[in-house]
């Protein structure tokens, strides 16, 4: 974090990659070092080892104010990095449950995402599945199984832990 603080002082936006167990400590360190002042830093959390079996709420904790996103694909990760780079209201956290070593970013797919907006991937009228990050494929598979039973399913990707897309959540809850 010390190197990142130096980059912030020089007017740059650092990117820090770390395992989930270190996230709370890094957040505290930035907050203390900056005297509560917002700092633009991108924290990329690779959740591929160890904590994947823990319940989602336990793994992620309560998101602090600011920007917190969960990538479902390489393309989405690239767009989230672009979104985080343009975010100037504090730290931006991106969770990547797929593992960073094999990640391939595609420069033509790096337009920023609308902050706090999820997306509907498939529309249906009977059931809704609101997914986050690496669970998108499971949600789509469940929708296929339900379709075989004659039920149409909405599948949505929440994308953001903070700020939450309350409109998308309400839309899914109406099913």
């Amino acid at each position: 974090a010390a190197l990142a603080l130096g980059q912030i002082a020089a007017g740059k936006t650092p990117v820090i990659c770390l395992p989930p167990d270190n996230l709370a400590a890094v957040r505290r360190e930035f907050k203390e070092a900056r005297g509560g002042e917002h700092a633009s830093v991108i924290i990329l959390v690779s959740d591929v080892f160890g904590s994947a079996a823990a319940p989602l709420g336990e793994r992620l904790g309560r998101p602090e104010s600011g920007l917190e996103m969960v990538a479902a694909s390489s393309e989405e990760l690239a767009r989230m990095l672009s979104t985080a780079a343009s975010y100037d209201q504090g730290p931006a956290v991106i969770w990547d449950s797929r593992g960073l070593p094999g990640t391939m970013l595609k420069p033509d797919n790096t337009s920023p995402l609308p902050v706090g907006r999820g997306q509907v991937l498939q529309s249906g009228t009977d059931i809704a599945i609101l997914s986050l990050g690496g669970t998108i494929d499971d949600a789509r598979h469940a929708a296929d199984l339900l379709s075989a039973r004659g039920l149409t399913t909405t599948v949505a990707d929440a994308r953001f832990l903070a700020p939450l897309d309350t409109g998308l959540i309400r839309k899914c809850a109406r099913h």
Side-chain angles (χ1 to χ4, degrees):
L3 177 60
L5 286 167
Q7 289 179 325
I8 290 169
K12 298 179 180 177
T13 302
V15 177
I16 302 172
C17 298
L18 52 95
D21 298 344
N22 297 358
L23 181 58
V26 168
R27 280 181 167 156
R28 263 193 318 277
E29 190 173 338
F30 273 98
K31 192 172 187 177
E32 290 168 6
R34 302 282 298 175
E37 178 186 331
H38 289 298
S40 291
V41 59
I42 300 170
I43 303 170
L44 186 56
V45 182
S46 179
D47 191 21
V48 72
F49 301 109
S51 65
L56 183 65
E58 183 181 313
R59 287 190 349 231
L60 303 179
R62 184 171 185 266
E64 296 184 8
S65 61
L67 186 63
E68 196 150 348
M69 303 170 277
V70 183
S73 66
S74 295
E75 178 181 334
E76 196 167 69
L77 176 60
R79 294 188 68 198
M80 287 178 176
L81 283 166
S82 179
T83 304
S86 63
Y87 185 75
D88 63 359
Q89 299 173 30
V93 178
I94 304 170
W95 289 82
D96 180 24
S97 61
R98 301 161 309 99
L100 297 173
T103 298
M104 296 299 293
L105 301 180
K106 300 172 184 165
D108 56 332
N109 293 325
T110 59
S111 59
L113 297 169
V115 173
R117 299 290 312 264
Q119 68 173 344
V120 173
L121 303 171
Q122 174 181 318
S123 293
T125 57
D126 299 315
I127 296 173
I129 301 172
L130 182 60
S131 188
L132 185 65
T135 62
I136 295 292
D137 290 337
D138 294 332
R140 286 182 171 161
H141 179 68
D144 290 343
L145 293 173
L146 291 166
S147 177
R149 294 180 179 253
L151 299 168
T152 62
T153 305
T154 294
V155 177
D157 178 3
R159 288 184 172 162
F160 291 84
L161 287 170
L164 284 173
D165 185 347
T166 55
L168 180 63
I169 293 169
R170 281 189 203 101
K171 180 178 180 176
C172 288
R174 283 192 285 266
H175 282 76

